[in-house]
Amino acid sequence: MSNENTRGNAPVGAGADRGRSPYNTGTGFRTGTGRGTTRRKEADRPRALTVFALVDLAALCLMFGAVIVGFGPVWGSLGYLLPAVGGVFVGLAVAWVGAWRRFPAVVVTALAVVGYFLFGAAFAVPHTAIAGVVPSLDSLRELMLGSVEGWKRFITTAPPMQSFPDLGVIPFLLMLLVALIAGTIAWRAKHAVWAVVPVLVGFVGVILLGTVDEALPVVQGLVITIVALLWGAVRVMEARVGTHSISTESSQEATRRLRWYRVRTGATILAVASLAAGFTGPLLMPDPDRTVLRETVVPPLDIHEFTSPLVGFRHYKKEVRDEEMFTISELPENGRIRIATLDRYDGVVYDASGDGGVTGFYTRVGDEIATTASGDPMSIDITVTGYRGVWVPEVGSLTGVSWKGANAQAQTEGSYYNSDTHTAITTAGIRPGDSYTLSTLVTPEPSEETLKKSKIKLDVEMPETEGSGMPQELPAKTAQFTGVETDAATKLFRIRDGLQADGFLSSGLEGEPLSRPGHSAERLNTLLAEEEMVGDDEQFAVALALMAQQAGIPARVVMGFYPDKQSEYEEGKPWSVLGSDVHAWIEVPFEEYGWVPIDAVPEEKPQMQPQPESKEEPKPPVLQDPEPPEEPEHAKAGSVEDDDKEEAENEGFDWGLLGMILLAVGIPLLVIAGPIVAILAYKARRRTARRNAEQPADRISGGWYEVVDVVTDLGTSVPRGATRRESAGVIAGAHAVPSTLMLAHRADETVFGTNEPTPAEVEAFWAGVDELVGGLRSTVSTRQRVRAALSLRSIWVRVAERRRAQAVARATGTTKEK
């Protein structure tokens, strides 16, 4: 006979708590009438082990699929599927194990962490895993750093994310957390419908991490809504129907038919309602602006750390005018190579702002860049021969940058692009021997006649310049050139024509009139005050931009290269760009054409000769016979005493004066320069000793010490007693130079290897040290570099380490004696 009666009550004679499972919550399964309780066989079994767990799994997977689709626009390919689906798999697996074994929250969290590091290598960063599956030290490092810093990098990097495989940590981790929480609620909570909440949080999170371009918002919303409502209805129906005692096959069949009937009916109603809402909703409700984090969060790159390239304009024109800067494989017709777009003037220098609005943001980019620009696609190769700097020479609107060479990884990691000003920068710097490929969109420039008939966008808000920073002659000169004209385009070209007519082009070269460099307010004030204005592109471009702004016309300055009449350029062939090919121009926004370049270079004129002081030819001087010297009254002819006395007086005066000068100048100079020379000499001697150590392994260790000392002098504290890899992690995090980690790995492999390093390996390692140190110093200002060169921090740290080592040695020796 059955242990339960037909009404589902406890067996006769059984106590109230007899047979109760220790896992039971105390709430029995109610009968349909609610007059008693019954205990089915599944009561003591975790839900994760029942057939209904498959229903929960199917519902969660459908909703997760709708969430994952949102990564499509920001990723740019289907590459996001592996980390996102992998995160769902790991999260659901941990949730299922936790529900099966009824682990507490602490154990489930520990399992999730283990799963994150164990499977994250294969799903999130397979490029760092051994054979693409087994976690390596690089995999663990990427997973640890990605979980903390990856979120910031994800929203401050220009899409598509497929260019940055290390960012696969973000979809993996996000979906792991969502799946873990949702699965735990679905398989363990009394009200499983709350599992929809983490799904919605994940859905919103994907939107915030994405772009303004949505994936399939209507389809995603309908899928999540239909599945959530239908799944919730099924769970309620199970609680009502599935708890009854089943005693006959006919009642079981009836229950199954009832379940499927309610499922089909509910699904049909929800599908019809959702489709109706999907078609009518967009028509009845306005299309709101999509809010994403990357549009509101300011990127971490501070562009003001880098000097405006316009400061070095005269350097190209004079010092390196005949030197080859780089070679470009192909230049579009009437094309220009842009170095930087400068939009903020402070009275001293024209600089790039990058503070948002029309000035845009500098966001991290890779070999693919999402853009809304249009034009003819081109692929351009650039090989650097003499150019140095962080500003990347580029053409058109970039859709990607692919770096090549030994420094390619650091340059890719440090590449930033401002799509509003079309300016690229790499914090790793560019030096001779580097090369890269530009994927770009090029549009033809409209003719001047077309522009004169067009309208200028006057509502563009440019960074303001304080009145005290503007040249005093600027308003009067602007009014002189524009007159009573009111049309913006006409005023612009009148200002341009006035500068060209009254200006004379001179870079201060040999045979040219004197022309001071710079574009400060004082220099421009001098330029505009002259009757015949003498200057080069630097002065005239800045003057034209400021005068245009004075007339109410938005304008910005651009520095770059383009071929002129003196350039050795042939259309359709590679062009070797020289320093003399540097130019500066302005850009003005036209309604039909966007930002259009306008040149301000004066037209060629006959050579301007400097004015002589007097037109009269000087007469040759008439030489007269000198008068014989008068003899002193008391002098005696042939006396040697006076000659000796005069010579002695002259000798005493000269040597005394020289001694006074040496004492007055030499002592302060020695006091000031002595410590500086001593510090620099000590650091140079320390570096030489490390590089020429007796043992090759000591040379490798010395190279790593050199990196740590440079970083210490730059202000970054490296923990005492840290391993090279730990120290490299600190340095990479503080200075955003991932190549530090690679150098630390090379040092460990060489020092702890079985074979003695060869001289070639030592030289290669020190070459990496020099490259890394140069990259670290290039990321800071000149003032910081000078301060680091004279810093004593690394010296004191090494002294403290030696004292500590000596103390340990003495203590060890004393212990042995005892």
Side-chain angles (χ1 to χ4, degrees), residues 647-659:
E647 183 177 357
E649 290 179 355
N650 290 336
E651 287 183 357
F653 174 78
D654 291 339
W655 285 105
L657 180 61
L658 179 61

Side-chain angles (χ1 to χ4, degrees), residues 83 87 116 124 146-148 151 168-178:
Y116 172 72
S147 63
V148 179
W151 307 95
V169 173
I170 300 306
F172 174 74
L173 180 56
L174 177 63
M175 296 312 300
L176 187 152
L177 294 175
V178 172

Side-chain angles (χ1 to χ4, degrees), residues 670-692:
L670 182 63
V671 173
I672 297 174
I676 296 177
V677 174
I679 293 172
L680 296 178
Y682 176 81
K683 290 186 177 181
R685 181 178 174 278
R686 181 180 65 182
R687 174 186 171 86
T688 303
R690 288 170 174 173
R691 190 158 189 170
N692 299 324

Side-chain angles (χ1 to χ4, degrees), residues 63 78 251 301 407 455 461 469 510-511 581 596 647 660 672 715 737 754 816:
M63 290 188 288
L78 297 179
S251 59
L301 177 68
N407 203 30
K455 297 293 183 182
E461 296 184 1
E510 184 178 355
D581 295 317
V596 177
E647 183 177 357
M660 292 176 61
I672 297 174
V737 184
T754 56
K816 288 181 179 179

Side-chain angles (χ1 to χ4, degrees), residues 626-644:
E627 296 182 359
E630 296 182 359
E631 294 184 0
E633 294 181 358
H634 302 286
K636 297 181 179 180
S639 175
V640 185
E641 181 180 355
D642 292 341
D643 294 339
D644 294 341

Side-chain angles (χ1 to χ4, degrees), residues 329-345:
S329 62
E330 182 180 3
L331 187 66
E333 184 179 0
N334 299 323
R336 299 168 185 252
I337 303 172
R338 184 188 307 264
I339 295 295
T341 302
L342 314 171
D343 43 34
R344 172 177 291 166
Y345 185 68

